[in-house]
Amino acid sequence: MAVRGRWWVAVASLAASACGGVFQHALPAAPARYEVAADAAQGLLVGSAERDVTPSVGGYLAGFDLARTSTAVASPLKVRAFVFAAGERWFAVVGIDNLGVMREDADWIKGGLAGFANGDVFVCASHTHAGPDLIGLWGYWFLTSGRDRDYVARLRAATADAVAEACASARPAELRLGRALLPPRGLVKNANRAEVFDRRVTVLHAVAREDGRPLGTLLHLACHPEVLSRRNTAIGADFVGSLCDEWRARGHGQAVFVNGALGAMISPDVGPRDQSGVDAMGRALCELAEAALRSAAPMPVDAVEVRRQDVFLPMVSAGFRIGRLTTVLQRELYEGHARSTVGWLRLGEFAAVAVPGEMEPALAERVRAELRLPELVVFGLCDDEVGYLLRDEEAVDPEYAYERSMSPSRSSGERVRRALTGRR
């Protein structure tokens, strides 16, 4: 027993040093920033495409429990791309059926896209808990990684193919922006605080100027894709795949789903917890999206504006520190901080912020209030997955103990908010 005790003392010592200054970068004096504005007065080109990225059966699934390996395929996983060009400059929103993509991998995936600046691409994970482990935290046990590097390379190649096809198919477009509301109960719920969730469903739909055919649609709402229960071992896109497939089947063309402020803890309120429940939720959400489309108004676009800023989040939580020490969590650190990113996108009157994890809905509302943009869209899990992003109030509330354990630090949510709004 004494030997075992000394071993854990050594592990703890190494964990403290690994996250305290050894093998790390210096923290920059100021975060890196990026900004671009492209004139769209002459119109936009829009295109969309998708690729299948379903892995082989037998790999580790992300989320819920360790050592959960897949045994079947319930539905295919996709990477979906919505691209638009203003003048000579191209932009893209990419939706990936996965629990989350780390900053380093997102940057590498973007590096494979010909003709795009890194900052002009938004890589958004759907957060399905029935896809392969891209983070590394759900391997055989807590010191072993579940991450398959070959799959990450496959995802990079598929993303490049989808974006290239979307660009090749792009045509002069008209945009239509529509909104609807989720019902207060019966479809989505907050598992912590009953009816506290973002009810907005936002549809940004592009049609060809020449003949009105659909060129692509962004579908946005906030909910964990967790219709499939933690006992599930089948690969699947959950309700996101069913929603996008139903959208196409009803004649609206390619859909690209982007999740919203789903943190702490916005979940499906449907059953059964199997593929039939997945398909039922997909159909119900498609009907809401169609209602938003029916009420959509043409949206003129004067310009496309993008801003980016690095944000550094203290790596304090024990699981994150030990995961990084054992290389299960492969993140670069800067004096004990993880480098992540926030972003802003304006496309005509469509405005969105990009956040690097699962933002709690009350924090998202504070961001909207501080920016004075009540219809602001939140691109969750965008370009990174750092876990839960909480307000100060929730960060010290015992009810949110689990969410705190799955965040780099208690201050991470407020640090992201300040980076987005400039407010203290």
Side-chain angles (χ1 to χ4, degrees), residues 63 79 82 96 100 135 195 197 220 244-245 254 260 262-263 344 384:
V79 55
F82 181 93
I96 296 175
I135 308 296
E195 298 175 3
F197 63 92
H220 180 273
C244 292
D245 290 347
Q254 176 71 56
L262 75 166
W344 301 258
D384 203 358

Side-chain angles (χ1 to χ4, degrees), residues 296-319:
M299 188 185 76
V301 179
D302 60 331
V304 179
E305 297 178 1
V306 170
R307 286 180 287 152
R308 295 281 195 168
Q309 180 180 310
D310 279 351
V311 59
F312 292 86
L313 307 176
M315 205 76 134
V316 173
S317 297

Side-chain angles (χ1 to χ4, degrees), residues 159-184:
T159 303
D161 287 347
V163 169
E165 180 183 332
C167 291
S169 66
R171 296 292 182 271
E174 295 179 355
L175 296 183
R176 298 169 185 171
L177 179 61
R179 299 181 178 94
L181 291 177
L182 293 164

Side-chain angles (χ1 to χ4, degrees), residues 99-112:
L99 184 137
V101 181
M102 290 190 296
R103 166 72 186 266
E104 290 81 359
D105 286 340
D107 283 345
W108 189 58
I109 288 168
K110 293 182 189 185

Side-chain angles (χ1 to χ4, degrees), residues 210-360:
E210 57 188 4
D211 55 13
R213 64 186 173 88
L215 296 174
T217 309
L218 285 183
L219 300 178
H220 180 273
L221 59 98
C223 183
H224 276 72
E226 291 181 1
V227 178
L228 296 173
S229 75
R230 69 185 313 118
R231 296 185 298 275
N232 170 68
T233 56
I235 295 165
D238 211 277
F239 72 75
V240 173
S242 294
L243 167 59
C244 292
D245 290 347
E246 187 72 14
W247 188 258
R248 183 192 296 276
R250 297 189 185 195
H252 305 307
Q254 176 71 56
V256 177
F257 177 83
V258 181
N259 223 320
L262 75 166
M265 173 72 73
I266 313 305
S267 304
D269 189 19
V270 300
R273 302 290 298 279
D274 57 19
Q275 190 61 35
S276 66
V278 165
D279 293 338
M281 186 167 184
R283 288 191 298 271
L285 291 173
C286 189
E287 289 170 4
L288 284 170
E290 283 191 316
L293 183 59
R294 286 193 296 271
S295 66
M299 188 185 76
V301 179
D302 60 331
V304 179
E305 297 178 1
V306 170
R307 286 180 287 152
R308 295 281 195 168
Q309 180 180 310
D310 279 351
V311 59
F312 292 86
L313 307 176
M315 205 76 134
V316 173
S317 297
F320 283 71
R321 291 163 69 97
I322 295 173
R324 196 262 178 175
L325 168 68
T326 60
T327 72
V328 167
L329 189 61
Q330 297 184 2
R331 293 201 73 120
E332 295 181 315
L333 288 190
Y334 297 75
E335 297 179 20
H337 295 68
R339 180 175 67 104
S340 194
T341 180
V342 298
W344 301 258
L345 169 66
R346 185 180 75 84
L347 183 61
E349 68 177 82
F350 177 86
V353 290
V355 302
E358 301 159 60
M359 181 171 277
E360 187 264 336

